[in-house]
Amino acid sequence: MRQTLAMKILAAHSREPVTGTGQLVPCRVSLVLANDITAPLSIASIEKMGATKMFDADKVVLVCDHFTPNKDVKSAEQVKTVREFARKFGIENYFEGGTCGVEHALLPELGMVGPGDVVVGADSHTCTYGGLGAFATGLGSTDVAAAMVLGETWFKIPETILVRIDGNLRQFVGAKDLILNLIGRVGVAGALYKALEFTGETVAALDVEGRMTMANMAIEAGGKAGLFPADAKTLDYCRAAGRTGDQEIHPDPDAEYVQTVVIDASTLEPQIACPHLPDNVRAVSEVSDVTLDQVVIGSCTNGRISDLREAAAILKGRRVTKGLRCIVLPATPRIYRQALAEGLIEIFMEAEAIVGPPTCGPCLGGHMGILAGGERCLATTNRNFRGRMGSLDSEVYLAGPAVAAASAVTGTITDPVRL
Amino acid sequence: MKYTGTVHAVGDHIDTDAIIPAKYLVTPDPEILGRNLFDGLEAGWVSRVTPGDILVAGANFGCGSSREHAPLAILGAGIPVVLARSFARIFYRNAFNMGLPLIELGEDATLPGDGDRIEVDMARGRIRNLISGRELSFSPVPAFMQSILDQGGLVGHVRSRLQGVHS
């Protein structure tokens, strides 16, 4: 059978022959991840399983990024549980404090994931690594606990939806707009139980960070994974992250897809996901009169250096409108230092934005940007479920960093071309 | 196994933030989580639940985050089984791993309504509405998922496997 990317990677990690979609197969995992919210449950499960060691302590990663720097005593206790577990089980890849960043930005920059890997994480946005040609997917804490102990998990070989994107992007339209447009087309359950595979000239032209932004939101269409071929750009990215020995991975020609979605990127305006689901997507021109109380630029979707550069290019010489909080969170310490070196942090501060530490905090209404009743936020994050960022009576809009920065300047949702 | 209880119905695309908002994720205690079930849908929602009641949802139930706290909160509130048109993938695995059986009814099923009393017969794959008398059939839980449930969830499954390896 001609193989899609998902099938090809899973088959390479299974001791059982893969014959088709729908088959349940055990797969060896390359890396297992959990965070400060999900690891405590994994740890409790590992204790109940009676396990005394990890399958490979070097392939287990614990990143305390959600409620850190700890927001209260309970979250501090959770982090302490994770820290002590890491010590006891000899897990070197434990991140907290000054080495810690948003997990899905941190692991790729440290060279911990690469093409052909099978990665499971107790975080739904683990699918981000599909941008590097890895089969990566989110699971719950106990599934991840089992993978930490056994070094394997089971998967149903998914059907794949092919997404073909061609055409040149106009100015201020990027990867986030492409994925929002796709989610708007297929719906939040459009890829349920399926993998998404991206192809086309626009995808080939995207940088690896943009591909990770798109793969990140595969779960927002219900997808199990969002996969990009690993090409020369992927290998360059991986080499820069200190990896060696990676190889290109492409789907077989004429692989079998359950559906094909075709997008002409040249016609797209910046896209906005309106409350309260990520598939409630409109072109920016349709929602440009919406007033805002907060803008958040950061997260595992859009907190990378390319995102900060894009936001800074717009904020340079401008000022955040009075009465609006603009929160900028570089996703990792390395991104933060890079942004400092390039003068981006200076631009954000000059514009009177708030520059915070790397954390997932505001994205999930954890801390550092909670919304009051009636408040509206535009964020570069990935979810706008009702109450996601705080009050059930607040609203979250999703967009890319260029729109976020332009909107912070005007106080209403704004297409950057109109500044 | 049979479950008999009053139905609490919720809609399509109910996400994990609606099931249990992030502010409660500072504890893994099912009882505490259960007391706040669906707090992201409506404050005090859980007060209408009597242990043994059954949850019926629309499409894509449990979409969103990987938080296992979601099925734990449902179990913590005393709900033993969930019926839906379809489930989000991570939630589906998590529920069985936690020992919460899920029944997928498909997009075209006529769902029992809020307040109905129903009997769910897992072995026969039948749901009987005790008020209207209407019956509904469903495909049995997949054998692999049933074996996880039979061992009390994934923890029991892995524990037996580890003991097997060590013996």
Side-chain angles (χ1 to χ4, degrees):
Chain A
M1 183 165 185
R2 295 188 178 277
Q3 294 181 316
T4 60
L5 281 172
M7 196 182 279
K8 185 171 273 191
I9 298 168
L10 290 174
H13 287 256
S14 185
R15 58 178 178 271
E16 289 180 15
V18 168
T19 53
T21 58
Q23 188 187 351
L24 290 181
V25 292
C27 283
R28 291 185 314 281
V29 294
S30 316
L31 200 75
V32 190
L33 165 77
N35 60 49
D36 50 327
I37 289 179
T38 56
L41 280 171
S42 300
I43 293 165
S45 292
I46 286 165
E47 284 168 359
K48 287 188 218 146
M49 285 166 185
T52 52
K53 58 182 175 59
M54 303 284 90
F55 84 103
D56 182 341
D58 292 337
K59 292 182 176 171
V60 173
V61 190
L62 300 167
V63 186
C64 293
D65 56 356
H66 275 62
F67 290 151
T68 57
N70 296 318
K71 71 171 178 118
D72 57 15
V73 174
K74 283 181 177 169
S75 61
E77 294 291 347
Q78 292 209 136
V79 169
K80 188 178 160 203
T81 302
V82 184
R83 189 190 308 126
E84 288 175 351
F85 172 80
R87 243 178 241 149
K88 184 173 161 192
F89 282 78
I91 296 164
E92 296 290 329
N93 294 313
Y94 170 79
F95 298 96
E96 189 200 339
T99 61
C100 191
V102 172
E103 54 204 36
H104 307 308
L106 187 68
L107 269 52
E109 79 172 21
L110 293 176
M112 299 181 83
V113 289
D117 283 353
V118 171
V119 184
V120 294
D123 187 278
S124 59
H125 292 106
T126 303
C127 52
T128 307
Y129 316 132
L132 293 168
F135 184 93
T137 195
L139 298 176
S141 296
T142 300
D143 260 322
V144 155
M148 286 177 178
V149 170
L150 301 174
E152 65 171 47
T153 189
W154 62 271
F155 290 114
K156 190 194 265 191
I157 301 294
E159 293 179 323
T160 294
I161 298 173
L162 184 68
V163 183
R164 175 179 295 283
I165 309 176
D166 292 306
N168 292 328
L169 293 168
R170 51 163 265 205
Q171 197 190 7
F172 302 124
V173 179
K176 182 65 163 287
D177 304 295
L178 293 176
I179 191 66
L180 287 178
N181 183 266
L182 174 69
I183 296 165
R185 283 168 194 250
V186 303
V188 286
L192 204 57
Y193 308 122
K194 299 184 181 80
L196 292 165
E197 191 180 297
F198 296 93
T199 190
E201 61 192 34
T202 317
V203 168
L206 275 182
D207 61 17
V208 171
E209 293 196 349
R211 296 175 190 177
M212 287 197 277
T213 294
M214 291 183 69
N216 175 275
M217 290 189 74
I219 180 71
E220 261 48 79
K224 179 172 188 157
L227 287 146
F228 288 74
D231 59 10
K233 276 188 192 172
T234 319
L235 299 191
D236 285 346
Y237 179 94
C238 290
R239 262 192 300 273
R243 293 175 63 91
T244 52
D246 289 316
Q247 291 183 350
E248 290 197 18
I249 300 181
H250 298 271
D252 288 338
D254 307 320
E256 210 173 284
Y257 298 95
V258 66
Q259 184 188 343
T260 301
V261 178
V262 177
I263 297 177
D264 176 2
S266 64
T267 62
L268 289 187
E269 285 182 49
Q271 306 282 297
I272 312 284
C274 300
H276 291 290
L277 280 176
D279 66 1
N280 188 14
V281 175
R282 314 271 165 82
V284 65
S285 56
E286 295 174 52
V287 283
S288 49
D289 52 350
V290 175
T291 57
L292 300 169
D293 303 284
Q294 180 169 295
V295 165
V296 175
I297 301 169
S299 86
C300 59
T301 319
N302 283 115
R304 298 184 185 82
I305 192 68
S306 51
D307 302 310
L308 299 188
R309 284 176 188 143
E310 209 176 325
I314 286 165
L315 285 171
K316 186 170 187 174
R318 296 193 171 102
R319 193 160 292 186
V320 170
T321 193
K322 201 171 167 56
L324 181 141
R325 305 176 296 275
C326 177
I327 302 167
V328 182
L329 302 175
T332 69
R334 187 182 296 176
I335 294 167
Y336 204 131
R337 284 198 302 270
Q338 180 76 25
L340 262 176
E342 292 182 18
L344 309 183
I345 301 293
E346 181 67 24
I347 291 169
F348 296 136
M349 301 293 287
E350 281 287 328
E352 297 175 353
I354 304 156
V355 182
T359 178
C360 304
C363 172
L364 77 163
H367 63 158
M368 297 201 183
I370 309 288
L371 300 177
E375 286 194 324
R376 268 195 216 111
C377 176
L378 183 138
T380 66
T381 57
N382 40 44
R383 288 199 171 127
N384 58 350
F385 300 148
R386 186 167 161 247
R388 170 82 174 169
M389 276 196 174
S391 167
L392 280 180
D393 297 322
S394 61
E395 291 184 345
V396 180
Y397 292 75
L398 306 176
V403 170
S407 304
V409 170
T410 61
T412 59
I413 295 179
T414 298
D415 186 340
V417 294
R418 292 174 54 200
L419 277 188
Chain B
M1 179 66 99
K2 281 186 186 176
Y3 303 103
T4 306
T6 301
V7 167
H8 299 285
V10 293
D12 291 336
H13 310 302
I14 299 294
D15 59 80
T16 49
D17 283 79
I19 299 172
I20 187 81
K23 64 180 170 184
Y24 299 117
L25 304 185
V26 289
T27 175
D29 185 335
E31 231 173 274
I32 300 172
L33 294 169
R35 267 183 250 141
N36 300 293
L37 175 66
F38 287 123
D39 203 40
L41 203 58
E42 181 192 325
W45 187 95
V46 77
S47 63
R48 66 186 75 166
V49 172
T50 305
D53 285 354
I54 293 166
L55 186 66
V56 176
N60 195 28
F61 182 74
C63 58
S65 100
S66 70
R67 62 186 74 158
E68 222 163 70
H69 310 69
L72 280 179
I74 293 170
L75 283 167
I79 294 171
V81 61
V82 183
L83 284 52
R85 292 193 190 281
S86 61
F87 294 96
R89 188 190 60 82
I90 305 175
F91 179 84
Y92 186 83
R93 287 181 74 132
N94 283 350
F96 283 92
N97 290 345
M98 295 295 96
L100 173 67
L102 304 180
I103 295 169
E104 204 150 31
L105 296 171
E107 295 307 314
D108 303 323
T110 308
L111 299 177
D114 206 37
D116 282 354
R117 294 228 5 122
I118 60 171
E119 182 190 80
V120 182
D121 185 334
M122 298 297 284
R124 290 179 55 232
R126 305 288 291 178
I127 296 163
R128 199 155 67 88
N129 192 317
L130 300 177
I131 294 172
S132 68
R134 191 200 299 265
E135 290 220 358
L136 193 64
S137 63
F138 60 88
S139 314
V141 167
F144 182 70
M145 307 312 285
Q146 188 60 49
S147 76
I148 291 175
L149 285 178
D150 291 344
Q151 293 173 86
L154 187 64
V155 164
H157 185 78
V158 175
R159 192 171 50 216
S160 337
R161 194 168 148 178
L162 287 178
Q163 282 162 357
V165 168
H166 293 150
S167 63

